[in-house]
Coordinates of all heavy atoms in Angstrom, one line a residue:
T1 N -7.3 5.1 -4.1 CA -7.5 6.0 -3.0 C -8.4 5.4 -1.9 O -9.1 4.4 -2.3 CB -8.0 7.4 -3.4 OG1 -9.3 7.2 -3.9 CG2 -7.1 8.0 -4.4
Y2 N -8.4 5.9 -0.8 CA -9.3 5.4 0.3 C -10.8 5.5 -0.2 O -11.6 4.6 0.1 CB -9.1 6.1 1.6 CG -10.0 5.6 2.7 CD1 -9.7 4.3 3.3 CD2 -11.2 6.2 3.0 CE1 -10.5 3.8 4.3 CE2 -12.0 5.6 4.0 CZ -11.7 4.5 4.6 OH -12.5 3.9 5.5
N3 N -11.2 6.6 -0.8 CA -12.5 6.8 -1.2 C -13.0 5.7 -2.2 O -14.1 5.1 -2.1 CB -12.8 8.1 -1.9 CG -12.7 9.3 -0.9 OD1 -12.9 9.1 0.3 ND2 -12.4 10.5 -1.3
T4 N -12.1 5.3 -3.1 CA -12.4 4.2 -4.1 C -12.5 2.9 -3.3 O -13.5 2.1 -3.6 CB -11.3 4.2 -5.2 OG1 -11.2 5.4 -5.8 CG2 -11.7 3.1 -6.2
F5 N -11.6 2.7 -2.4 CA -11.6 1.4 -1.6 C -12.9 1.3 -0.8 O -13.5 0.3 -0.7 CB -10.4 1.4 -0.7 CG -10.4 0.3 0.2 CD1 -10.1 -1.0 -0.2 CD2 -10.6 0.5 1.6 CE1 -10.0 -2.1 0.7 CE2 -10.6 -0.6 2.5 CZ -10.3 -1.9 2.1
D6 N -13.3 2.4 -0.2 CA -14.5 2.5 0.6 C -15.8 2.2 -0.2 O -16.7 1.6 0.4 CB -14.6 3.8 1.3 CG -15.6 3.9 2.4 OD1 -15.7 2.9 3.2 OD2 -16.4 4.9 2.5
Q7 N -15.8 2.5 -1.4 CA -17.0 2.3 -2.2 C -17.1 0.8 -2.8 O -18.2 0.5 -3.3 CB -17.0 3.3 -3.4 CG -17.2 4.7 -3.0 CD -17.0 5.7 -4.2 OE1 -16.8 5.3 -5.3 NE2 -17.1 7.0 -3.9
V8 N -16.1 0.0 -2.6 CA -16.1 -1.4 -3.1 C -17.1 -2.1 -2.2 O -16.9 -2.1 -0.9 CB -14.7 -2.0 -3.1 CG1 -14.8 -3.5 -3.4 CG2 -13.8 -1.3 -4.1
Q9 N -18.1 -2.8 -2.7 CA -19.1 -3.5 -2.0 C -18.8 -5.0 -2.0 O -18.3 -5.5 -3.0 CB -20.5 -3.3 -2.6 CG -20.9 -1.8 -2.6 CD -21.2 -1.3 -1.2 OE1 -21.7 -2.0 -0.3 NE2 -20.7 -0.1 -0.9
I10 N -19.0 -5.7 -0.9 CA -18.8 -7.1 -0.8 C -19.9 -7.7 -1.8 O -21.0 -7.3 -1.8 CB -19.1 -7.6 0.6 CG1 -18.1 -6.9 1.6 CG2 -19.0 -9.1 0.7 CD1 -16.7 -7.1 1.4
G11 N -19.4 -8.7 -2.5 CA -20.3 -9.4 -3.5 C -20.2 -8.9 -4.9 O -20.7 -9.4 -5.8
T12 N -19.5 -7.8 -5.1 CA -19.3 -7.2 -6.4 C -18.3 -8.1 -7.2 O -17.3 -8.5 -6.8 CB -18.7 -5.8 -6.3 OG1 -19.5 -5.0 -5.5 CG2 -18.6 -5.1 -7.7
P13 N -18.7 -8.4 -8.5 CA -17.8 -9.1 -9.3 C -16.5 -8.3 -9.6 O -16.6 -7.1 -9.9 CB -18.6 -9.4 -10.6 CG -20.0 -9.2 -10.2 CD -20.0 -8.2 -9.1
I14 N -15.4 -9.0 -9.6 CA -14.1 -8.3 -9.8 C -14.0 -7.7 -11.2 O -13.4 -6.7 -11.4 CB -12.9 -9.2 -9.4 CG1 -11.6 -8.4 -9.3 CG2 -12.7 -10.3 -10.5 CD1 -11.5 -7.5 -8.1
A15 N -14.7 -8.3 -12.1 CA -14.6 -7.8 -13.5 C -15.3 -6.5 -13.6 O -14.9 -5.6 -14.4 CB -15.4 -8.8 -14.4
E16 N -16.3 -6.2 -12.8 CA -16.9 -4.9 -12.8 C -16.0 -3.8 -12.1 O -16.1 -2.6 -12.4 CB -18.2 -4.9 -12.0 CG -19.3 -5.6 -12.7 CD -20.6 -5.6 -11.9 OE1 -20.8 -4.7 -11.0 OE2 -21.5 -6.4 -12.2
L17 N -15.1 -4.2 -11.2 CA -14.3 -3.3 -10.4 C -13.0 -2.9 -11.2 O -12.5 -1.8 -11.0 CB -13.9 -3.9 -9.1 CG -15.0 -4.0 -8.1 CD1 -14.4 -4.7 -6.8 CD2 -15.5 -2.7 -7.7
K18 N -12.5 -3.8 -12.1 CA -11.3 -3.5 -12.7 C -11.2 -2.2 -13.5 O -10.2 -1.4 -13.4 CB -10.9 -4.6 -13.6 CG -10.3 -5.8 -12.8 CD -9.7 -6.9 -13.7 CE -9.2 -8.0 -12.8 NZ -8.6 -9.1 -13.6
P19 N -12.3 -1.8 -14.2 CA -12.3 -0.4 -14.8 C -12.2 0.7 -13.8 O -11.6 1.8 -14.1 CB -13.6 -0.4 -15.6 CG -14.0 -1.8 -15.8 CD -13.5 -2.5 -14.6
Q20 N -12.7 0.5 -12.6 CA -12.7 1.6 -11.6 C -11.4 1.6 -10.8 O -10.8 2.7 -10.6 CB -13.9 1.4 -10.6 CG -15.2 1.5 -11.2 CD -16.3 1.1 -10.2 OE1 -16.0 0.5 -9.2 NE2 -17.5 1.3 -10.6
V21 N -10.9 0.5 -10.4 CA -9.8 0.4 -9.5 C -8.4 0.1 -10.2 O -7.4 0.3 -9.7 CB -10.0 -0.6 -8.4 CG1 -11.1 -0.2 -7.5 CG2 -10.1 -2.0 -8.9
G22 N -8.5 -0.3 -11.5 CA -7.3 -0.6 -12.3 C -6.7 -1.9 -12.0 O -7.2 -2.8 -11.3
R23 N -5.5 -2.1 -12.5 CA -4.7 -3.3 -12.3 C -4.1 -3.4 -10.9 O -3.5 -2.4 -10.5 CB -3.6 -3.4 -13.4 CG -3.1 -4.8 -13.6 CD -2.1 -4.8 -14.7 NE -0.8 -4.4 -14.2 CZ 0.1 -3.8 -14.8 NH1 0.0 -3.5 -16.1 NH2 1.3 -3.4 -14.3
P24 N -4.2 -4.5 -10.2 CA -3.6 -4.6 -8.9 C -2.1 -4.5 -8.9 O -1.4 -5.0 -9.9 CB -4.1 -5.9 -8.3 CG -4.5 -6.7 -9.5 CD -4.8 -5.7 -10.6
Y25 N -1.5 -4.1 -7.8 CA 0.0 -4.1 -7.7 C 0.5 -5.6 -7.6 O 1.5 -5.9 -8.2 CB 0.3 -3.4 -6.4 CG 1.8 -3.5 -5.9 CD1 2.8 -2.7 -6.6 CD2 2.2 -4.3 -4.9 CE1 4.1 -2.8 -6.2 CE2 3.5 -4.4 -4.5 CZ 4.4 -3.7 -5.2 OH 5.7 -3.8 -4.8
A26 N -0.3 -6.4 -6.9 CA 0.1 -7.8 -6.8 C -1.2 -8.6 -6.6 O -2.2 -8.1 -6.0 CB 1.1 -8.1 -5.7
I27 N -1.1 -9.9 -6.9 CA -2.2 -10.9 -6.6 C -1.6 -12.0 -5.8 O -0.7 -12.6 -6.3 CB -2.9 -11.4 -7.9 CG1 -3.5 -10.2 -8.7 CG2 -3.9 -12.4 -7.5 CD1 -4.1 -10.7 -10.0
H28 N -2.1 -12.2 -4.6 CA -1.6 -13.2 -3.7 C -2.6 -14.4 -3.7 O -3.7 -14.1 -3.4 CB -1.4 -12.7 -2.3 CG -0.5 -11.4 -2.2 ND1 0.8 -11.4 -2.3 CD2 -0.9 -10.1 -2.1 CE1 1.3 -10.2 -2.3 NE2 0.2 -9.4 -2.1
H29 N -2.1 -15.6 -4.0 CA -3.0 -16.7 -4.0 C -3.0 -17.4 -2.6 O -2.0 -17.7 -2.1 CB -2.5 -17.7 -5.1 CG -2.5 -17.2 -6.4 ND1 -3.6 -17.0 -7.2 CD2 -1.5 -16.6 -7.2 CE1 -3.3 -16.5 -8.4 NE2 -2.0 -16.2 -8.4
K30 N -4.2 -17.4 -2.1 CA -4.4 -18.0 -0.7 C -5.2 -19.3 -0.9 O -5.5 -19.7 -2.0 CB -5.2 -17.0 0.1 CG -4.5 -15.7 0.3 CD -3.3 -15.7 1.1 CE -2.7 -14.4 1.3 NZ -1.6 -14.3 2.2
D31 N -5.6 -19.9 0.2 CA -6.4 -21.2 0.2 C -7.8 -21.0 -0.5 O -8.7 -20.5 0.2 CB -6.6 -21.7 1.6 CG -5.3 -22.0 2.3 OD1 -4.4 -22.5 1.5 OD2 -5.2 -21.9 3.5
G32 N -7.9 -21.2 -1.8 CA -9.1 -21.1 -2.5 C -9.6 -19.7 -2.8 O -10.7 -19.5 -3.3
S33 N -8.8 -18.7 -2.5 CA -9.1 -17.3 -2.9 C -7.9 -16.6 -3.3 O -6.8 -17.1 -3.3 CB -9.8 -16.6 -1.6 OG -8.8 -16.5 -0.6
E34 N -8.1 -15.4 -3.8 CA -7.0 -14.5 -4.2 C -7.1 -13.2 -3.5 O -8.2 -12.7 -3.2 CB -7.1 -14.3 -5.7 CG -6.9 -15.5 -6.5 CD -7.0 -15.2 -8.0 OE1 -7.9 -14.4 -8.4 OE2 -6.3 -15.8 -8.8
E35 N -6.0 -12.6 -3.2 CA -5.9 -11.3 -2.5 C -5.3 -10.3 -3.5 O -4.2 -10.5 -4.0 CB -5.0 -11.4 -1.3 CG -5.5 -10.8 -0.1 CD -4.5 -11.0 1.1 OE1 -3.3 -10.9 0.9 OE2 -5.0 -11.3 2.2
Y36 N -6.2 -9.4 -3.9 CA -5.7 -8.3 -4.9 C -5.2 -7.2 -4.0 O -5.9 -6.6 -3.2 CB -6.9 -7.8 -5.7 CG -7.3 -8.7 -6.8 CD1 -7.7 -10.0 -6.6 CD2 -7.3 -8.3 -8.2 CE1 -8.1 -10.9 -7.6 CE2 -7.6 -9.2 -9.2 CZ -8.0 -10.5 -8.9 OH -8.4 -11.3 -9.9
E37 N -3.9 -6.8 -4.2 CA -3.3 -5.7 -3.5 C -3.1 -4.5 -4.3 O -2.6 -4.6 -5.4 CB -1.9 -6.2 -2.9 CG -1.2 -5.1 -2.1 CD 0.2 -5.6 -1.6 OE1 0.6 -6.7 -2.0 OE2 0.8 -4.8 -0.9
Y38 N -3.5 -3.4 -3.8 CA -3.4 -2.1 -4.4 C -2.6 -1.2 -3.5 O -2.7 -1.2 -2.3 CB -4.7 -1.4 -4.7 CG -5.6 -2.2 -5.7 CD1 -6.4 -3.2 -5.3 CD2 -5.5 -1.9 -7.0 CE1 -7.1 -4.0 -6.2 CE2 -6.2 -2.6 -8.0 CZ -7.1 -3.7 -7.5 OH -7.8 -4.4 -8.4
V39 N -1.7 -0.3 -4.0 CA -0.8 0.5 -3.2 C -1.0 2.0 -3.6 O -1.0 2.3 -4.7 CB 0.7 0.1 -3.4 CG1 1.6 1.0 -2.5 CG2 0.9 -1.3 -3.0
E40 N -1.2 2.8 -2.5 CA -1.3 4.2 -2.7 C -0.2 4.9 -1.9 O 0.0 4.7 -0.7 CB -2.7 4.7 -2.1 CG -2.8 6.2 -2.1 CD -4.0 6.7 -1.4 OE1 -4.5 6.0 -0.5 OE2 -4.5 7.8 -1.8
R41 N 0.7 5.6 -2.7 CA 1.8 6.2 -2.0 C 1.5 7.7 -1.8 O 1.0 8.4 -2.7 CB 3.0 6.1 -2.9 CG 3.5 4.7 -3.0 CD 4.7 4.5 -3.9 NE 5.2 3.1 -3.8 CZ 4.8 2.1 -4.5 NH1 3.9 2.3 -5.5 NH2 5.4 0.9 -4.4
I42 N 1.7 8.2 -0.6 CA 1.4 9.5 -0.2 C 2.7 10.2 0.0 O 3.5 9.9 0.9 CB 0.6 9.6 1.1 CG1 -0.7 8.8 0.8 CG2 0.3 11.0 1.5 CD1 -1.6 8.5 2.0
S43 N 3.0 11.3 -0.8 CA 4.3 12.0 -0.7 C 4.0 13.5 -0.4 O 3.0 14.0 -0.8 CB 5.0 11.9 -2.1 OG 5.3 10.5 -2.4
V44 N 5.0 14.1 0.2 CA 5.1 15.5 0.3 C 6.4 16.0 -0.3 O 7.4 15.6 0.2 CB 5.0 15.9 1.8 CG1 5.2 17.4 2.0 CG2 3.7 15.5 2.4
G45 N 6.3 16.6 -1.4 CA 7.5 17.0 -2.2 C 8.1 15.7 -2.7 O 7.5 14.9 -3.3
N46 N 9.4 15.5 -2.4 CA 10.1 14.3 -2.8 C 10.2 13.2 -1.7 O 10.8 12.2 -1.8 CB 11.6 14.6 -3.2 CG 11.6 15.4 -4.5 OD1 10.7 15.2 -5.3 ND2 12.6 16.2 -4.6
N47 N 9.5 13.5 -0.5 CA 9.5 12.6 0.6 C 8.3 11.7 0.7 O 7.2 12.2 0.6 CB 9.7 13.4 1.9 CG 10.9 14.2 2.0 OD1 12.0 13.7 1.5 ND2 10.9 15.4 2.5
L48 N 8.5 10.4 0.8 CA 7.4 9.5 1.0 C 7.0 9.6 2.5 O 7.8 9.4 3.4 CB 7.9 8.1 0.7 CG 6.8 7.0 0.8 CD1 5.7 7.2 -0.2 CD2 7.5 5.6 0.7
V49 N 5.7 9.9 2.7 CA 5.1 10.0 4.0 C 4.5 8.7 4.5 O 4.7 8.3 5.6 CB 4.1 11.2 4.0 CG1 3.5 11.3 5.4 CG2 4.7 12.5 3.6
A50 N 3.8 8.0 3.6 CA 3.1 6.8 4.0 C 2.7 6.0 2.7 O 2.7 6.6 1.6 CB 1.9 7.1 4.8
E51 N 2.5 4.7 2.9 CA 1.9 3.9 1.9 C 0.7 3.2 2.4 O 0.7 2.6 3.5 CB 2.9 2.8 1.4 CG 4.0 3.2 0.5 CD 4.8 2.1 0.1 OE1 4.6 0.9 0.5 OE2 5.7 2.3 -0.8
N52 N -0.4 3.4 1.7 CA -1.7 2.7 2.1 C -1.7 1.4 1.2 O -1.6 1.5 0.0 CB -2.9 3.5 1.9 CG -3.0 4.7 2.8 OD1 -2.4 4.6 3.9 ND2 -3.6 5.7 2.5
H53 N -1.9 0.2 1.8 CA -2.1 -1.0 1.1 C -3.5 -1.4 1.2 O -4.0 -1.7 2.3 CB -1.1 -2.1 1.6 CG 0.3 -1.8 1.4 ND1 1.0 -2.4 0.4 CD2 1.1 -0.9 1.9 CE1 2.3 -1.9 0.4 NE2 2.4 -1.0 1.3
Y54 N -4.2 -1.5 0.1 CA -5.6 -2.0 0.1 C -5.7 -3.4 -0.5 O -5.1 -3.7 -1.5 CB -6.4 -1.0 -0.8 CG -6.3 0.4 -0.4 CD1 -5.6 1.3 -1.2 CD2 -7.0 0.9 0.7 CE1 -5.5 2.7 -0.8 CE2 -6.9 2.2 1.1 CZ -6.2 3.1 0.3 OH -6.1 4.4 0.6
F55 N -6.4 -4.2 0.2 CA -6.5 -5.6 -0.2 C -8.0 -6.0 -0.4 O -8.9 -5.7 0.4 CB -6.0 -6.6 0.9 CG -4.5 -6.4 1.2 CD1 -4.1 -5.4 2.2 CD2 -3.6 -7.1 0.5 CE1 -2.8 -5.3 2.4 CE2 -2.2 -6.9 0.7 CZ -1.8 -6.0 1.7
L56 N -8.3 -6.6 -1.6 CA -9.6 -7.2 -1.9 C -9.5 -8.7 -1.9 O -8.6 -9.2 -2.6 CB -10.1 -6.7 -3.2 CG -10.2 -5.1 -3.4 CD1 -10.7 -4.8 -4.8 CD2 -11.2 -4.6 -2.4
I57 N -10.3 -9.4 -1.1 CA -10.2 -10.8 -1.1 C -11.3 -11.3 -2.1 O -12.5 -11.0 -2.0 CB -10.5 -11.4 0.3 CG1 -9.4 -10.8 1.2 CG2 -10.5 -12.9 0.3 CD1 -9.7 -11.0 2.7
V58 N -10.9 -12.1 -3.1 CA -11.7 -12.5 -4.2 C -11.8 -14.0 -4.2 O -10.8 -14.7 -4.2 CB -11.2 -12.0 -5.6 CG1 -12.0 -12.4 -6.7 CG2 -11.1 -10.5 -5.5
Q59 N -13.1 -14.5 -4.3 CA -13.3 -15.9 -4.5 C -14.4 -16.1 -5.5 O -15.4 -15.4 -5.4 CB -13.7 -16.5 -3.1 CG -13.7 -18.0 -3.1 CD -14.0 -18.6 -1.7 OE1 -14.7 -18.0 -0.9 NE2 -13.3 -19.7 -1.4
N60 N -14.2 -17.0 -6.4 CA -15.1 -17.3 -7.5 C -15.5 -16.0 -8.3 O -16.6 -15.8 -8.7 CB -16.4 -18.0 -7.0 CG -16.1 -19.3 -6.4 OD1 -15.2 -20.1 -6.8 ND2 -16.8 -19.7 -5.3
G61 N -14.5 -15.1 -8.4 CA -14.7 -13.9 -9.2 C -15.5 -12.8 -8.5 O -15.8 -11.8 -9.1
K62 N -15.7 -12.9 -7.2 CA -16.5 -11.9 -6.5 C -15.7 -11.5 -5.2 O -15.0 -12.3 -4.6 CB -17.8 -12.4 -6.1 CG -18.8 -12.6 -7.2 CD -20.2 -13.0 -6.7 CE -21.1 -13.1 -7.9 NZ -22.5 -13.4 -7.5
V63 N -15.8 -10.3 -4.8 CA -15.2 -9.7 -3.6 C -15.9 -10.3 -2.4 O -17.2 -10.1 -2.3 CB -15.2 -8.2 -3.6 CG1 -14.6 -7.7 -2.3 CG2 -14.5 -7.6 -4.8
I64 N -15.2 -11.0 -1.5 CA -15.8 -11.6 -0.3 C -15.3 -10.9 0.9 O -15.8 -11.2 2.0 CB -15.6 -13.1 -0.2 CG1 -14.1 -13.4 -0.1 CG2 -16.3 -13.8 -1.4 CD1 -13.8 -14.9 0.3
G65 N -14.3 -10.0 0.8 CA -13.8 -9.3 2.0 C -12.8 -8.2 1.5 O -12.4 -8.2 0.4
K66 N -12.4 -7.4 2.4 CA -11.5 -6.3 2.1 C -10.9 -5.8 3.4 O -11.5 -5.9 4.5 CB -12.1 -5.2 1.3 CG -13.2 -4.4 2.0 CD -13.7 -3.4 1.1 CE -14.7 -2.5 1.9 NZ -15.2 -1.3 1.1
Y67 N -9.6 -5.3 3.3 CA -9.0 -4.7 4.5 C -7.9 -3.8 4.0 O -7.5 -3.9 2.8 CB -8.5 -5.7 5.5 CG -7.4 -6.6 5.1 CD1 -6.0 -6.3 5.4 CD2 -7.6 -7.7 4.3 CE1 -5.0 -7.1 4.9 CE2 -6.6 -8.6 3.9 CZ -5.3 -8.2 4.2 OH -4.3 -9.1 3.8
M68 N -7.3 -3.0 4.8 CA -6.2 -2.1 4.5 C -5.2 -2.0 5.6 O -5.5 -2.4 6.7 CB -6.7 -0.7 4.1 CG -7.2 0.1 5.3 SD -7.5 1.9 4.9 CE -5.8 2.5 4.8
S69 N -4.0 -1.6 5.2 CA -2.9 -1.4 6.2 C -2.1 -0.2 5.7 O -2.1 0.2 4.6 CB -2.0 -2.6 6.3 OG -1.3 -2.8 5.2
R70 N -1.5 0.5 6.7 CA -0.7 1.7 6.4 C 0.7 1.4 6.9 O 0.9 1.0 8.0 CB -1.3 2.9 7.1 CG -0.4 4.1 6.9 CD -1.1 5.4 7.4 NE -2.2 5.7 6.4 CZ -3.2 6.4 6.8 NH1 -3.4 6.9 8.0 NH2 -4.2 6.6 5.9
E71 N 1.7 1.8 6.0 CA 3.1 1.6 6.4 C 3.7 3.0 6.3 O 3.4 3.8 5.4 CB 3.8 0.7 5.4 CG 3.3 -0.7 5.5 CD 4.0 -1.7 4.6 OE1 5.0 -1.3 4.0 OE2 3.5 -2.8 4.4
R72 N 4.6 3.3 7.2 CA 5.4 4.6 7.2 C 6.8 4.2 7.2 O 7.3 3.3 7.9 CB 5.0 5.4 8.5 CG 3.6 5.8 8.5 CD 3.2 6.6 9.7 NE 1.8 6.8 9.7 CZ 1.2 7.9 10.1 NH1 1.9 8.8 10.7 NH2 -0.1 8.0 10.1
P73 N 7.6 5.0 6.5 CA 9.1 4.8 6.5 C 9.7 5.1 7.9 O 9.1 6.0 8.6 CB 9.6 5.7 5.5 CG 8.6 6.8 5.3 CD 7.3 6.1 5.7
P74 N 10.7 4.5 8.3 CA 11.3 4.8 9.6 C 11.9 6.2 9.6 O 12.4 6.7 8.6 CB 12.4 3.7 9.8 CG 12.7 3.3 8.4 CD 11.5 3.4 7.6
A75 N 11.9 6.8 10.8 CA 12.4 8.2 10.9 C 13.9 8.1 11.0 O 14.5 7.2 11.5 CB 11.8 8.8 12.2
Y76 N 14.5 9.2 10.4 CA 16.0 9.3 10.5 C 16.3 10.0 11.9 O 15.8 11.1 12.2 CB 16.5 10.2 9.4 CG 18.0 10.5 9.5 CD1 18.9 9.5 9.3 CD2 18.4 11.8 9.8 CE1 20.3 9.8 9.3 CE2 19.8 12.1 9.8 CZ 20.7 11.1 9.6 OH 22.0 11.3 9.7
D77 N 17.1 9.4 12.7 CA 17.4 9.9 14.0 C 18.8 10.5 14.1 O 19.8 9.8 14.0 CB 17.3 8.7 15.0 CG 17.2 9.2 16.5 OD1 17.7 10.3 16.7 OD2 16.7 8.5 17.3
L78 N 18.8 11.8 14.2 CA 20.1 12.5 14.1 C 21.0 12.2 15.3 O 22.2 12.2 15.2 CB 19.8 14.0 14.1 CG 19.2 14.6 12.9 CD1 18.9 16.1 13.1 CD2 20.2 14.4 11.7
I79 N 20.4 11.8 16.4 CA 21.3 11.5 17.6 C 22.0 10.2 17.5 O 23.1 10.1 17.9 CB 20.4 11.6 18.9 CG1 19.8 13.0 19.1 CG2 21.2 11.1 20.1 CD1 18.8 13.1 20.3
Y80 N 21.3 9.2 17.0 CA 21.8 7.8 17.0 C 22.4 7.3 15.7 O 23.0 6.3 15.7 CB 20.7 6.9 17.5 CG 20.3 7.2 18.9 CD1 19.1 7.8 19.2 CD2 21.2 7.0 20.0 CE1 18.7 8.1 20.5 CE2 20.8 7.3 21.3 CZ 19.6 7.9 21.5 OH 19.2 8.2 22.8
Q81 N 22.1 8.0 14.6 CA 22.7 7.6 13.3 C 23.8 8.5 12.9 O 23.7 9.7 13.0 CB 21.6 7.5 12.3 CG 20.5 6.4 12.6 CD 19.4 6.4 11.6 OE1 19.2 7.4 10.9 NE2 18.7 5.3 11.4
E82 N 24.8 7.9 12.3 CA 25.9 8.7 11.8 C 25.5 9.6 10.6 O 24.6 9.2 9.9 CB 27.1 7.8 11.4 CG 27.7 7.1 12.6 CD 28.9 6.3 12.1 OE1 29.5 6.6 11.0 OE2 29.3 5.4 12.9
E83 N 26.2 10.7 10.5 CA 25.9 11.6 9.3 C 26.4 10.8 8.1 O 27.5 10.4 8.0 CB 26.8 12.9 9.5 CG 26.9 13.7 8.3 CD 25.6 14.3 7.8 OE1 24.7 14.7 8.6 OE2 25.4 14.2 6.6
P84 N 25.5 10.6 7.1 CA 25.8 9.8 6.0 C 26.9 10.4 5.1 O 27.6 9.7 4.4 CB 24.5 9.7 5.2 CG 23.6 10.7 5.8 CD 24.1 11.1 7.1
N85 N 27.2 11.7 5.2 CA 28.3 12.3 4.4 C 29.6 12.5 5.2 O 30.5 13.1 4.6 CB 27.8 13.7 3.9 CG 26.6 13.5 3.0 OD1 26.5 12.6 2.2 ND2 25.6 14.4 3.2
Y86 N 29.6 12.1 6.4 CA 30.8 12.3 7.2 C 31.9 11.2 6.9 O 31.6 10.1 6.7 CB 30.5 12.2 8.7 CG 31.7 12.3 9.6 CD1 32.2 13.6 9.9 CD2 32.4 11.2 10.1 CE1 33.3 13.7 10.7 CE2 33.5 11.3 10.9 CZ 33.9 12.6 11.2 OH 35.0 12.8 12.0
P87 N 33.1 11.5 6.7 CA 33.8 12.8 6.7 C 33.9 13.3 5.2 O 34.8 12.9 4.5 CB 35.2 12.5 7.3 CG 35.5 11.1 6.9 CD 34.1 10.4 6.8
G88 N 32.9 14.0 4.8 CA 32.8 14.5 3.5 C 33.4 15.9 3.3 O 33.1 16.5 2.3
Y89 N 34.1 16.4 4.2 CA 34.7 17.7 4.1 C 36.2 17.7 4.6 O 36.6 16.8 5.3 CB 33.9 18.7 5.0 CG 33.9 18.3 6.4 CD1 34.9 18.8 7.3 CD2 32.9 17.5 7.0 CE1 34.9 18.5 8.6 CE2 32.9 17.2 8.3 CZ 33.9 17.6 9.1 OH 33.9 17.3 10.5
S90 N 36.9 18.7 4.2 CA 38.3 18.8 4.6 C 38.4 20.0 5.6 O 37.9 21.0 5.4 CB 39.2 19.1 3.4 OG 39.1 18.0 2.5
P91 N 39.1 19.7 6.8 CA 39.2 20.8 7.7 C 40.2 21.9 7.3 O 41.0 21.8 6.4 CB 39.8 20.2 9.0 CG 40.1 18.8 8.6 CD 39.6 18.5 7.3

């Protein structure tokens, strides 16, 4: 969650954080460092509203940076997209 991400301090050993933040969704290997990616999915009912992607940049076993991004699914546009069930009825 954002609160957990916000509490991560620069310089903290990643071994100390793993019990708090859990296993990462993915680890991306960069030039001499690793990017630990965590994903938080925000839903309302059965609908996905947004995904928060949290990144911890780790070098020599310690957090040296962090950032986040938010992704939203594209909206369904009734005017410009065809009805997915058409022609699913008989006149």
Side-chain angles (χ1 to χ4, degrees):
T1 64
Y2 181 78
N3 289 336
T4 304
F5 174 75
D6 192 42
Q7 293 174 3
V8 173
Q9 299 294 317
I10 304 298
T12 304
I14 195 68
E16 287 182 19
L17 290 176
K18 283 188 179 181
Q20 296 170 351
V21 297
R23 197 176 84 207
Y25 172 76
I27 299 175
H28 308 281
H29 299 282
K30 304 288 181 175
D31 297 326
S33 65
E34 296 176 322
E35 230 177 36
Y36 284 58
E37 180 180 4
Y38 296 86
V39 178
E40 175 187 26
R41 291 179 174 89
I42 301 170
S43 301
V44 175
N46 290 332
N47 297 323
L48 179 65
V49 176
E51 283 186 352
N52 291 333
H53 293 254
Y54 304 108
F55 297 91
L56 300 177
I57 303 168
V58 178
Q59 189 173 39
N60 298 325
K62 293 185 178 183
V63 177
I64 62 166
K66 63 182 188 173
Y67 67 96
M68 72 170 285
S69 67
R70 176 171 288 155
E71 296 179 12
R72 295 178 188 216
Y76 175 71
D77 194 336
L78 291 174
I79 295 174
Y80 298 106
Q81 293 178 339
E82 292 183 19
E83 167 63 41
N85 298 317
Y86 178 80
Y89 60 90
S90 299

